[in-house]
Amino acid sequence: MRPAHRSSHGAFRVTATRVGSRRPQVDFEPTPRHIVTAMLELAGVRRNDVVYDLGSGDGRIPIAAARDFGASAVGVELHAARIDEARRKAAEARVTRKVRFVNQDLFEAEIKPATVLTLFLLPEANLVLRPRLLRDLAPGARVVSYIHDMGSWKPDTARYTVDRLGWYHRLYLWTIPTPAQRAPA
């Protein structure tokens, strides 16, 4: 069991436990709305993108991608109650034709169609996902993570955004390289 972790800005708490020896389990903590917009802007989301959000919770990232950027989006969430909530919110936002939510483990979900993938997980989860992202996403696809990096995989961009209370929030962006651009393992 991992102890509770306080984010660097102290605004919320995220905890995780190991499931077996491979998969961290991440508790739901909604991404702040201003961070949702900042993540999608950092990724340069456009109308022709397909945005995947792993651990989509209440659906705010896929809904914003469709509503505010015109993209298609998929939210992957393990908890059925969150999927129901996300679907209700998508209907309220009138984006059900552009957004779908799948009730699935984020470590097993099909992600190949994504041109943009968003994450608000823990460092351990990012590290478990990293090989899959590099293997399954097409070169040029963008990955944005809120708060946590990907270890030795250096981001193309690391940015801070400041909220109205003056808290700093870290965002990271990676672009999936071509096989020729990848460093030897």
Side-chain angles (χ1 to χ4, degrees), residues 115-150:
T115 59
V116 174
L117 189 134
T118 61
L119 304 169
F120 176 23
L121 304 172
L122 293 172
E124 296 89 350
N126 282 5
L127 293 177
V128 168
L129 284 169
R130 185 174 76 183
R132 270 197 72 215
L133 302 179
L134 289 165
R135 180 188 71 230
D136 291 353
L137 296 178
R142 287 99 64 206
V143 177
V144 179
S145 178
Y146 174 43
I147 298 180
H148 302 294
D149 64 16
M150 296 272 187

Side-chain angles (χ1 to χ4, degrees), residues 53-73:
D53 183 30
L54 298 184
S56 60
D58 65 2
R60 63 184 60 195
I61 292 176
I63 291 167
R67 182 190 60 225
D68 303 337
F69 295 83
S72 296

Side-chain angles (χ1 to χ4, degrees), residues 25-66:
Q25 181 177 331
V26 181
D27 294 335
F28 175 64
E29 181 66 42
T31 305
R33 295 200 187 277
H34 72 283
I35 297 298
V36 169
T37 301
M39 290 174 77
L40 297 170
E41 287 174 349
L42 181 61
V45 172
R46 299 174 301 277
R47 182 172 299 282
N48 62 337
D49 278 314
V50 179
V51 177
Y52 273 57
D53 183 30
L54 298 184
S56 60
D58 65 2
R60 63 184 60 195
I61 292 176
I63 291 167

Side-chain angles (χ1 to χ4, degrees), residues 99-117:
V99 176
R100 73 183 169 90
F101 295 96
V102 294
N103 186 209
Q104 194 170 13
D105 184 318
L106 64 90
F107 296 103
E108 297 173 4
E110 173 62 50
I111 61 171
K112 288 181 181 178
T115 59
V116 174
L117 189 134

